[in-house]
Amino acid sequence: MKITLPDNSLRELPEGSSGYDLAKDIGPGLAKSAVAVTINGIQKDLHDVIEGDVSASIITIDSDEGIEIMRHTLTAQVLARAVKNIYPNSKLAIGPTIEDGFYYDVETEEAISIDDLKKIEDEMIKIVKTKSSITKKLVSKEEALKIFKSQKETYKESIIDESEQISDFQLYYQDDKKFVDLCRGPHLPNLSFVGAFKLTKVSGAYWKGDSKNKMLTRIYGTAWKNEKELNKYLTTLDEAQKRDHRKLGKEMNLFHFQDEAPGMVFWHPDGWTIYRNLRNFVRKRLQDNDYIEVNTPQVIDRKLWEASGHWDKYRENMFITEIDEEHANEKRVNALKPMNCPGHVQIYNQGIKSYKDLPLKYAEFGLCHRYEPSGTMHGLMRVRAFTQDDGHIFCTEDQIESETGLFIEFLSNIYADLGFKDFDIKLSTRPEMRVGSDKTWDKSEKALEDAIKNLGYPYRIDEGDGAFYGPKLDFVLTDAIGREWQCGTFQLDFNLAERLDAQYVGEDGKKHYPVMIHRAVLGSFERFIGILIENYSGKLPFWLAPQQVVIASIISDVNDYSIEIMEQLKKEGIRAEVDLRNEKISYKIREHSSKKVPIIIAIGKSEKSEKTVSIRRIGSSETEILELNEALKQIKKENILVST
RNA sequence: GCUCAUAUAGCUCAGCGGUAGAGCACUUGCUUGGUAAGUAAGAGGUCACCGGUUCAAGUCCGGUUAUGAGCUCCA
């Protein structure tokens, strides 16, 4: 048979040859590191017999694909077996690979905790040490069912049962044939290819990812080619932990949470300074882009939420308030607003609007409350009370495309100024839970997709992830360590205006419903500040930093000069403080460095007598001596992004 | 909301049936010291909350609340 290799060269092999034979034919080195083979684009076990003329490439243990196969074998053949050895009555569910590692879902009689991982890991090492080869057996559906039924592997049974396949179920064995796993493969030809691995955590996970199903125990692990790679990965994990905004927020004294208000931020002075700086920045940009800032009530009667559709579709996430009957004349049920849109429509509805008023753009730094499930809260990233940089564009259908373009440009400028150069666009389509007719959804999905297509931005589609009132574009930015955050959103809504009876008089003199576009750039200030802290490891850009400059005196004789510098800086609008404490300069440097103050100015005898300053910047141990006036000029220039 | 874990001084944590501990931070004294921790002393705790077991409970057991890691959600 003829085999085409990736470089388009042809190789002739006898019938019945396998991927391994092919590798051997190409070279002994390749045969040694081969773990699987790709036949016509599909990964196969190395010892599968190749049928017919095909294109093929050998997967070696050194490749990304090879590592993934190794992870797969580790979970399905090694972790699963180790768990069965230690917990004979456990039942295996599924064990896929994930980024950097793998997991296996199992049902066990006794709970497995993080402390048990060592034990399981040791058992895995024992299994790997056998260096057993891994062999495959193909069986019919009945036979597969029989085997797993006899082993009481109910999850495997149901996987087979629900499969449309009728034959060729793949069973994988090790040399002793004492363990069998159902798997789509491919697997390593033998366990000697296993590199360095470590079980990392254990948690619950629903069978088939459905919260109605039983909760299984999920054991996570990570695996790499060798110890060095493993350690590198573990170090990066540590690095990510070091920039955790919850930890930095505490160290920098920015905010706290407490039991009485779960998911709601207590902003400390420095944290609130960051918040205000960011808000001023966004406010300026909104002003420059034809948005009009408004403000709407926090607590609104349920009638409005019924009319808007929130009561029906969003009730379980809303904080409901009732007025104490003893003191109130009338009983009404109110809700804390989870969104600003109905409020904005109320403003729109005051007075008659003409097509000449469109597009009309209302913006609000609206404080919204949403009752998030208890298990989902996470520092600033997921809270129950947050402020959106929200806005609603009332426009005609014809204006959708130009507004989409304007918004993307607006958003990308803001992201760039905040230090995020890259973002992806996601188009989310109709969800199951929604308002509006399918006809309206067809129209709005098409309008949005046409707009983004015509503007030429790349995007990907996320089926069923739209808002209940309309399809949306989501903007996902990438931070300094490659993590992705969904922040901006642009949501088309052909429903709400009609539900709340918002209209405009068209050129034809008749009344029409405007299209509403719900849009945000940062999403929520709380979350975005969390992202900024993690992105910058707390070392915020100069204009955002709560304390921008600290002037630290070396001896008390220079206190007057230090204060003079502070006052001059303050005159320029710089947030400057002096540190005149009776402490050594290194002590002061250490303290302000750990608070991530961007600039520390040390002042001693020579600076005072020469009217200079010694500048030290965060992240560097270099110092720079400058004339005071020159330093003031420079620092003022750095503060340029402060816009108001 | 679900699974597992955690809750001790302002922070980070030790203690795991028998009189509450450390380091840092804080206060005070000494120290005026040139770029990431000078020094000594002092003060600081209903051991998250409610209940149970026990002669005796931060310590063991149950519940509640919050937090953490995941899962499910994130309009």
Side-chain angles (χ1 to χ4, degrees):
Chain A
M1 58 189 166
K2 291 194 182 74
I3 294 172
T4 314
L5 296 175
D7 63 357
N8 282 328
S9 65
L10 266 183
R11 232 160 239 273
E12 189 85 46
L13 284 179
E15 293 298 320
S17 293
S18 68
Y20 182 68
D21 298 323
L22 172 64
K24 230 171 27 184
D25 191 56
I26 299 171
L30 187 64
K32 234 182 196 170
S33 64
V35 291
V37 59
T38 305
I39 305 288
N40 291 338
I42 297 166
Q43 289 187 355
K44 296 277 190 188
D45 282 302
L46 192 61
H47 292 289
D48 281 1
V49 170
I50 300 172
E51 285 170 29
D53 294 344
V54 297
S55 64
S57 64
I58 301 293
I59 300 170
T60 66
I61 189 65
D62 302 317
S63 67
D64 290 349
E65 281 178 291
I67 296 288
E68 195 179 334
I69 290 167
M70 186 261 279
R71 287 173 181 150
H72 188 197
T73 300
L74 253 178
T75 185
Q77 284 292 318
V78 183
L79 173 54
R81 183 170 188 175
V83 169
K84 290 293 278 189
N85 285 356
I86 298 172
Y87 309 93
N89 292 325
S90 58
K91 293 176 181 179
L92 302 173
I94 53 161
T97 57
I98 48 174
E99 204 182 343
D100 305 326
F102 55 85
Y103 66 77
Y104 215 107
D105 284 350
V106 293
E107 183 190 319
T108 52
E109 287 173 336
E110 50 185 310
I112 297 178
S113 82
I114 189 106
D115 302 323
D116 299 318
L117 292 185
K118 182 78 181 85
K119 185 167 69 184
I120 301 171
E121 215 173 275
D122 289 345
E123 186 67 22
M124 288 173 73
I125 291 168
K126 255 191 249 168
I127 295 166
V128 170
K129 275 196 179 143
T130 65
K131 298 191 175 173
S132 170
S133 54
I134 292 171
T135 51
K136 177 165 68 173
K137 190 177 161 194
L138 298 179
V139 296
S140 67
K141 190 163 193 165
E142 293 88 60
E143 202 176 342
L145 277 173
K146 206 176 93 191
I147 289 169
F148 287 106
K149 199 162 211 158
S150 74
Q151 302 192 0
K152 299 201 173 67
E153 290 287 5
T154 47
Y155 295 99
K156 296 288 176 195
E157 239 185 283
S158 94
I159 292 167
I160 299 164
D161 205 33
E162 285 165 29
S163 167
E164 286 171 9
Q165 206 174 317
I166 45 164
S167 63
D168 290 348
F169 282 86
Q170 304 194 85
L171 305 184
Y172 284 89
Y173 293 91
Q174 292 164 32
D175 288 338
D176 60 9
K177 310 280 185 208
K178 283 185 181 154
F179 174 79
V180 59
D181 190 32
L182 173 80
C183 192
R184 76 165 63 91
H187 275 303
L188 299 175
N190 67 68
L191 294 178
S192 63
F193 284 104
V194 170
F197 66 93
K198 184 174 161 54
L199 296 182
T200 48
K201 55 197 168 194
V202 58
S203 77
Y206 299 109
W207 168 236
K208 289 184 180 167
D210 188 333
S211 59
K212 288 191 217 61
N213 286 342
K214 198 178 165 86
M215 174 80 64
L216 307 173
T217 302
R218 177 170 296 178
I219 301 169
Y220 286 89
T222 184
W224 300 85
K225 194 161 63 184
N226 50 41
E227 285 290 330
K228 200 177 146 200
E229 296 274 311
L230 174 65
N231 287 333
K232 199 171 116 196
Y233 169 74
L234 295 174
T235 316
T236 4
L237 277 192
D238 284 351
E239 289 299 315
Q241 256 173 34
K242 275 187 202 146
R243 37 174 96 209
D244 189 313
H245 75 281
R246 292 166 299 184
K247 182 172 153 347
L248 288 169
K250 213 175 260 174
E251 283 170 16
M252 295 166 70
N253 191 15
L254 302 179
F255 57 84
H256 83 271
F257 291 91
Q258 63 187 53
D259 289 11
E260 290 82 352
M264 308 197 193
V265 189
F266 288 78
W267 284 105
H268 297 189
D270 281 355
W272 192 242
T273 302
I274 299 172
Y275 185 110
R276 278 171 25 238
N277 289 335
L278 189 60
R279 192 178 55 185
N280 287 346
F281 165 72
V282 175
R283 178 171 274 150
K284 179 77 168 38
R285 291 300 166 93
L286 286 164
Q287 276 169 7
D288 294 345
N289 286 272
D290 304 322
Y291 286 85
I292 310 162
E293 192 175 329
V294 296
N295 198 266
T296 59
Q298 217 44 234
V299 177
I300 302 180
D301 194 295
R302 73 180 268 183
K303 283 188 208 118
L304 183 62
W305 303 111
E306 280 167 357
S308 69
H310 286 83
W311 196 263
D312 195 28
K313 298 283 187 263
Y314 202 65
R315 169 99 193 268
E316 60 181 31
N317 287 297
M318 287 161 74
F319 280 95
I320 310 296
T321 72
E322 271 179 54
I323 295 159
D324 186 347
E325 281 181 77
E326 264 184 58
H327 304 290
N329 297 327
E330 55 175 332
K331 192 179 170 183
R332 37 199 294 171
V333 177
N334 296 302
L336 266 69
K337 67 173 171 186
M339 300 186 196
N340 305 302
C341 32
H344 289 188
V345 176
Q346 304 316 302
I347 296 176
Y348 178 95
N349 280 351
Q350 298 297 305
I352 293 173
K353 297 292 180 294
S354 144
Y355 71 94
K356 293 175 190 163
D357 295 320
L358 307 184
L360 180 57
K361 307 179 191 184
Y362 291 139
E364 178 174 0
F365 299 116
L367 173 57
C368 293
H369 285 80
R370 297 180 187 180
Y371 186 79
E372 301 288 354
S374 59
T376 60
M377 262 114 58
H378 180 91
L380 296 176
M381 302 302 194
R382 186 87 178 265
V383 288
R384 284 184 175 157
F386 57 94
T387 308
Q388 292 177 307
D389 61 324
D390 201 7
H392 293 92
I393 301 170
F394 295 82
C395 64
T396 65
E397 284 181 45
D398 292 345
Q399 291 166 336
I400 291 173
E401 188 172 320
S402 59
E403 287 306 316
T404 308
L406 283 172
F407 177 74
I408 296 177
E409 203 189 328
F410 178 70
L411 167 136
S412 59
N413 285 334
I414 291 179
Y415 284 177
D417 283 341
L418 291 169
F420 303 101
K421 304 290 178 228
D422 299 321
F423 62 88
D424 291 328
I425 304 177
K426 220 172 68 180
L427 172 65
S428 299
T429 57
R430 70 193 77 184
E432 272 177 42
M433 183 90 147
R434 60 177 183 260
V435 295
S437 68
D438 282 355
K439 211 178 123 201
T440 309
W441 276 91
D442 289 342
K443 184 165 81 171
S444 41
E445 282 173 2
K446 185 171 182 313
L448 195 56
E449 187 160 13
D450 284 351
I452 185 82
K453 231 186 239 168
N454 291 342
L455 290 161
Y457 288 99
Y459 64 97
R460 59 193 148 99
I461 293 181
D462 197 346
E463 296 286 348
D465 202 35
F468 74 74
Y469 44 73
K472 57 177 182 168
L473 298 176
D474 284 315
F475 298 85
V476 181
L477 56 80
T478 307
D479 74 9
I481 55 172
R483 292 174 304 181
E484 295 195 332
W485 302 96
Q486 184 174 315
C487 295
T489 190
F490 187 82
Q491 313 179 343
L492 217 54
D493 186 348
F494 280 91
N495 289 299
L496 192 62
E498 186 168 346
R499 292 186 76 105
L500 297 178
D501 204 30
Q503 301 184 333
Y504 67 92
V505 180
E507 267 179 285
D508 55 7
K510 290 185 189 141
K511 291 204 168 175
H512 302 272
Y513 293 114
V515 179
M516 264 183 90
I517 300 169
H518 310 245
R519 41 107 294 158
V521 175
L522 307 186
S524 101
F525 281 96
E526 285 74 5
R527 182 156 178 276
F528 204 89
I529 290 171
I531 295 168
L532 282 171
I533 292 170
E534 302 205 353
N535 182 60
Y536 288 110
S537 291
K539 295 171 196 150
L540 294 169
F542 189 76
W543 67 276
L544 264 174
Q547 265 187 34
Q548 298 178 293
V549 181
V550 168
I551 300 117
S553 60
I554 295 169
I555 49 167
S556 51
D557 286 350
V558 300
N559 285 359
D560 50 350
Y561 180 53
S562 304
I563 291 168
E564 187 192 325
I565 297 168
M566 172 185 75
E567 279 169 355
Q568 293 213 38
L569 283 166
K570 279 190 167 170
K571 222 177 273 169
E572 300 294 352
I574 307 292
R575 293 177 292 279
E577 297 294 334
V578 281
D579 184 350
L580 308 177
R581 289 174 305 171
N582 179 11
E583 295 292 348
K584 291 203 163 187
I585 188 64
S586 50
Y587 180 89
K588 295 183 183 181
I589 297 282
R590 180 186 154 80
E591 194 170 288
H592 301 300
S593 295
S594 67
K595 287 259 164 69
K596 322 283 186 204
V597 176
I599 291 179
I600 299 170
I601 293 179
I603 297 299
K605 266 185 201 151
S606 59
E607 285 82 3
K608 183 178 172 178
S609 63
E610 287 159 35
K611 277 269 173 192
T612 57
V613 294
S614 163
I615 289 186
R616 181 189 166 115
R617 286 167 189 279
I618 188 75
S620 159
S621 53
E622 310 270 300
T623 57
E624 190 187 4
I625 310 277
L626 286 179
E627 297 274 318
L628 175 57
N629 284 333
E630 177 56 28
L632 287 171
K633 219 191 290 171
Q634 261 194 33
I635 292 171
K636 193 179 159 189
K637 215 161 114 191
E638 279 178 55
N639 202 27
I640 205 79
L641 260 177
V642 170
S643 31
T644 52

